[in-house]
């Protein structure tokens, strides 16, 4: 196929010009000196804007009373990763292990926002902390420390520079036959990195396992 023909096919496949879909990205809270901040790591914003071609809008971790209003104005929702963990009282778990990082403001916004998004059939992409939030929001539970559960792997990232933490090949993942990820990858197994301490314990009703 020559270059001109390839460009013609690409042009036909490209979506018609128009407003970009608006995708909300849930914020974490941080402190900078005397100031409280609502923030999202830049990689998620760049991936949404440049990788997916959407208009990213940051959703602050404020009172959850406007979750349904927020969902009504969005075309999709991204629940990103974070160093903080979902507080265990949200899923009936035991008290937190000492020195666990938490963000109660994000919990207070993210959980009802995710429930509202699912109820409205809004597309949701949940990553790292986000998938744990989604499971809890829909009634599931979490292991606070997966590596402390007999028979489970240590899913924490190795210590060292960021290239090592985000680039290490931690373990294989088996994809469910006929599932979305098997169709996407064209394989039954892939190798992934791993950067989390918490993990899903009891799967929420309505969710399906795509990979283990």
């Amino acid at each position: 196929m020559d270059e001109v023909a390839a460009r013609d096919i690409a042009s036909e496949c490209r979506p018609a010009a128009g407003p970009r879909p608006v995708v909300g990205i849930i914020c974490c809270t941080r402190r900078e000196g005397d100031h409280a901040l609502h923030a999202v790591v830049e990689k998620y914003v760049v991936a949404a804007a440049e990788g997916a071609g959407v208009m990213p809008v940051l959703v602050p971790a404020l009172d959850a009373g406007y979750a349904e209003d927020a969902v009504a104005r969005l075309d999709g929702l991204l629940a990103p990763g974070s160093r903080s963990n979902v507080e265990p009282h949200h899923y009936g778990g035991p008290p937190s292990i000492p020195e666990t990082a938490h963000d109660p403001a994000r919990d207070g916004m993210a959980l009802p926002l995710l429930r509202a998004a699912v109820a409205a059939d809004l597309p949701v992409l949940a990553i790292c902390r986000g998938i744990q939030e989604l499971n809890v929001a829909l009634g599931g539970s979490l292991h606070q420390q997966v590596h402390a559960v007999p028979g489970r792997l240590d899913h924490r990232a190795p210590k060292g520079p960021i290239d090592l933490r985000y680039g290490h090949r931690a373990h294989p993942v088996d994809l469910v036959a006929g599932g979305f990820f098997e169709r996407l990858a064209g394989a039954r197994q892939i190798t992934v990195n791993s950067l989390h301490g918490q993990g899903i314990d009891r799967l929420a009703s309505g969710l399906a396992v795509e990979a283990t």
Side-chain angles (χ1 to χ4, degrees):
M1 181 184 294
D2 62 50
E3 184 178 350
V4 173
R7 284 203 304 266
D8 289 343
I9 292 173
S11 177
E12 291 176 6
C13 295
R14 189 174 297 119
R20 292 186 177 198
V22 177
V23 172
I25 306 179
I26 303 172
C27 287
C28 297
T29 58
R30 299 280 189 271
R31 291 205 69 85
E32 187 173 296
D34 296 330
H35 301 283
L37 307 179
H38 296 259
V40 172
V41 176
E42 184 183 50
K43 64 184 177 183
Y44 295 111
V45 180
V46 172
E50 298 181 4
V54 303
M55 173 64 74
V57 175
L58 305 192
V59 180
L62 294 173
D63 175 66
Y66 62 75
E68 291 184 2
D69 288 341
V71 165
R73 290 165 168 79
L74 298 173
D75 299 303
L77 181 66
L78 171 58
S82 173
R83 292 184 180 276
S84 66
N85 292 328
V86 180
E87 291 199 70
H89 69 81
H90 290 294
Y91 53 87
S96 288
I97 295 165
E99 300 183 1
T100 300
H102 289 302
D103 188 345
R106 172 160 168 171
D107 289 349
M109 182 61 193
L111 299 180
L113 186 61
L114 285 163
R115 284 191 285 266
V118 170
D121 202 24
L122 192 74
V124 173
L125 176 60
I127 302 169
C128 194
R129 186 196 212 271
I131 192 65
Q132 296 161 12
E133 289 173 330
L134 179 62
N135 189 55
V136 171
L138 299 181
S141 65
L142 304 176
H143 292 299
Q144 290 191 42
Q145 292 186 328
V146 177
H147 57 276
V149 179
R152 298 297 179 92
L153 299 176
D154 188 342
H155 290 261
R156 296 172 296 178
K159 298 184 183 300
I162 191 168
D163 289 347
L164 173 63
R165 299 198 308 272
Y166 284 86
H168 76 295
R169 295 166 62 83
H171 57 77
V173 170
D174 294 320
L175 308 181
V176 172
F180 175 81
F181 288 118
E182 190 214 23
R183 297 195 302 272
L184 187 67
R188 287 295 307 279
Q189 188 180 83
I190 59 175
T191 300
V192 300
N193 67 345
S194 194
L195 300 101
H196 60 99
Q198 284 193 322
I200 291 175
D201 178 9
R202 183 183 68 256
L203 188 69
S205 175
L207 297 182
V209 174
E210 284 276 355
T212 54

